[in-house]
Amino acid sequence: MTAPPDDCLARNEWICGEYVRSRRHILFDAVLQHVELTGASVLIALVVAVPLAVLARRWGWAAAPVLAVTTVLYTIPSLAMFSLLLPFYGLSAALVVAGLVLYSLTLLVRNILAGLRAVPEETRQAARGMGYGPLRLLLTVELPLALPAAMAGLRIATVSAVSLVTVGAIVGFGGLGNLIYAGMNTYFKAQVLTASVLCVVIAVAADLLLLAVQRLITPWTRTRRG
Amino acid sequence: MKTLDDTWNWLADSAHWAGDDGIWHRLAQHLVLTVVCLVVSCLIALPVAFVLGHLGKGGVLAVNISNVGRAVPTFAVLVLLLLTPVGAWGEGPTVVALVLFAVPPLLTNAYVGMREVDRDVVRAARGMGMTGRQTLFRVELPLSLPLVLNGVRIAAVQLVATATIAALAGGGGLGRIITAGFNLASTPQVVAGALLVAGFALIVEGIFETVERLALRRTRGAP
């Protein structure tokens, strides 16, 4: 029998190059799942949030209940949220996505609504005076002007979602959270630290990516700042 | 719906309320953790925010610390702490993680609240001969109260959520009912635990919202 290798894995060190080298496929799969879960939930939330915010803006009476529901949803802790969805989705990736959609929805609706409300009344009237119909007004004036606020909400929602995906480990669909959970049970320090750092890296990368997109699609905010 | 009935039956069973794993004990743990950590976090964050806000310094740090806090997964921090020497000390990782995640919103909101006090009012206070300390305590603090309390509310809700996740890393609190339910593959217990946690969080949110509203009325009502 050969003696066990005396490397950082055997010594259970926090930082271990050998771990990253030997487990790179596992890490890659976990990152992929993490990004997929985050992306899917934020995209679904965005698709639902825009019409909700527009409707809440159009019908003033709808705004208060919409905001109240989103506040309640946002108050529920993530572990409880996932657990409440268990009877509907079982132990599945859909459960994690559904939970994250509810959180992202909250942030997005609030921010898009705030952005739409911040459109100056003069601008709206000017557009109407130029013969813009309600739909054209919404699509070419109101929504573009609400973009900075909406993008701010999207960035917060995405970063939060990246961090919340880890809690999905409770149902086995937590991306890097699965590695953290498994690492906790086996006291595997390198695995926990590597997965945690990767989580933060994904969050920062997503934030920077969205910031770049925001700069690209709202060029007027840049020129104004000079 | 069957799950709902089972959940109700689980909650109605008095055996689930008593004992060390019982609901009352877990509820008490959750409450103590939340309250103690909220007080500690306020003692740490608010003085720093008030001083920074009064001096108008460190704004970049105070505002961005919240964004950093959001990017770091609570669960990851809990597990990392568990594997450090802190982990040997019972609820140590939970307490440290709770405070770490409650400080950023407190700091950011209190700082922003201090800076949003009308500069003319501060200048008027100085013109009336108030010292820096008097300006801080008699002008800036009362006027920034609504935003400070908003920060306290966000921190309290965050604390309840973090204390729940702590159950994943072996901490105490209502989250333990959920994790135990998962281990037993008992959907009714999982849902019952989740309902308790959600109810607890909503009550905390409701209490602080009421406090906030009362404080706001008082600030606005004052001559």
Side-chain angles (χ1 to χ4, degrees), chain A residues 107-108 110-116 118 143-156 214 218:
Chain A
L107 288 163
L108 289 172
R110 276 189 207 167
N111 274 272
I112 298 173
L113 190 58
L116 287 173
L143 281 178
L145 284 177
L147 263 180
M151 285 302 290
L154 188 63
R155 284 171 61 198
I156 296 176
Q214 182 181 352
T218 58

Side-chain angles (χ1 to χ4, degrees), chain A residues 14 71-72 74-80 83-84 86-88 91 156 159-160 163 166-167 169-171 177 180-181 183-184 187-189 192-193 196 199-200 203-204, chain B residues 1 3 67 70-76 79-80 82-84 153 157 160-161 164-165 167-169 175 178-179 182-183 187 190-191 194-195 197-198 201-202 205 209:
Chain A
W14 284 106
T71 306
V72 167
Y74 202 65
T75 305
I76 298 175
S78 50
L79 188 61
S83 305
L84 284 174
L86 183 67
F88 305 102
L91 301 172
I156 296 176
V159 171
S160 307
S163 140
T166 55
V167 180
I170 186 84
V171 292
I180 298 175
Y181 200 52
M184 175 184 77
Y187 272 76
F188 195 168
K189 290 179 177 172
V192 172
L193 186 65
S196 305
C199 272
V200 177
V204 172
Chain B
M1 206 174 121
T3 320
N67 298 331
R70 207 177 285 120
V72 181
T74 318
F75 178 47
V79 175
L80 284 172
L82 189 71
L83 298 188
T84 59
R153 178 175 59 88
V157 172
V160 174
T164 313
I165 297 178
L168 277 177
I178 299 177
T179 49
F182 271 109
N183 288 337
T187 304
V190 170
V191 176
L195 284 175
V197 170
L202 288 173
E205 159 94 14
E209 220 174 84

Side-chain angles (χ1 to χ4, degrees), chain A residues 1 4 27-29 35 64 66 84 98 108 115 141 143 154 168 186 197:
Chain A
M1 197 180 121
L27 283 169
F28 181 78
D29 287 346
V35 172
V66 165
L84 284 174
L108 289 172
V141 178
L143 281 178
L154 188 63
T186 52
V197 169

Side-chain angles (χ1 to χ4, degrees), chain B residues 45-65 103-117 119 140 144 147-148 151:
Chain B
L46 294 184
V48 175
F50 291 148
V51 170
L52 288 180
H54 180 68
L55 300 174
K57 283 180 183 148
V60 179
L61 173 84
V63 171
N64 284 312
I65 196 167
V103 163
L106 284 170
L107 201 58
T108 304
N109 274 275
Y111 180 86
V112 172
M114 290 286 290
R115 295 316 293 169
E116 280 194 354
V117 172
R119 287 298 105 190
E140 289 174 313
S144 62
L147 262 178
V148 174

Side-chain angles (χ1 to χ4, degrees), chain B:
Chain B
M1 206 174 121
K2 198 177 167 301
T3 320
L4 217 58
D5 282 344
D6 290 344
T7 306
W8 175 250
N9 289 335
W10 194 92
L11 281 172
D13 187 345
S14 62
H16 293 141
W17 289 78
D20 266 2
D21 290 331
I23 296 171
W24 287 122
H25 184 230
R26 294 298 181 203
L27 189 65
Q29 276 182 325
H30 214 106
L31 191 64
V32 169
L33 271 176
T34 309
V35 171
V36 170
C37 292
L38 184 63
V39 172
V40 172
S41 312
C42 284
L43 288 177
I44 295 172
L46 294 184
V48 175
F50 291 148
V51 170
L52 288 180
H54 180 68
L55 300 174
K57 283 180 183 148
V60 179
L61 173 84
V63 171
N64 284 312
I65 196 167
S66 272
N67 298 331
V68 176
R70 207 177 285 120
V72 181
T74 318
F75 178 47
V77 170
L78 277 160
V79 175
L80 284 172
L81 285 168
L82 189 71
L83 298 188
T84 59
V86 182
W89 173 51
E91 295 283 345
T94 313
V95 172
V96 175
L98 282 164
V99 172
L100 275 179
F101 281 98
V103 163
L106 284 170
L107 201 58
T108 304
N109 274 275
Y111 180 86
V112 172
M114 290 286 290
R115 295 316 293 169
E116 280 194 354
V117 172
D118 196 337
R119 287 298 105 190
D120 288 345
V121 176
V122 177
R123 258 179 245 132
R126 201 156 296 152
M128 286 166 67
M130 280 192 179
T131 61
R133 184 183 290 253
Q134 284 173 324
T135 317
L136 174 64
F137 283 105
R138 296 210 193 148
V139 179
E140 289 174 313
L141 274 190
L143 286 175
S144 62
L145 193 64
L147 262 178
V148 174
L149 285 175
N150 189 38
V152 175
R153 178 175 59 88
I154 297 172
V157 172
Q158 172 82 55
L159 280 170
V160 174
T162 312
T164 313
I165 297 178
L168 277 177
L174 286 170
R176 280 298 271 275
I177 299 172
I178 299 177
T179 49
F182 271 109
N183 288 337
L184 297 168
S186 158
T187 304
Q189 180 171 346
V190 170
V191 176
L195 284 175
L196 289 168
V197 170
F200 188 82
L202 288 173
I203 291 172
V204 168
E205 159 94 14
I207 291 173
F208 279 98
E209 220 174 84
T210 315
V211 171
E212 227 179 303
R213 206 161 288 168
L214 288 177
L216 199 67
R217 197 179 297 161
R218 178 171 276 198
T219 342
R220 287 213 179 125

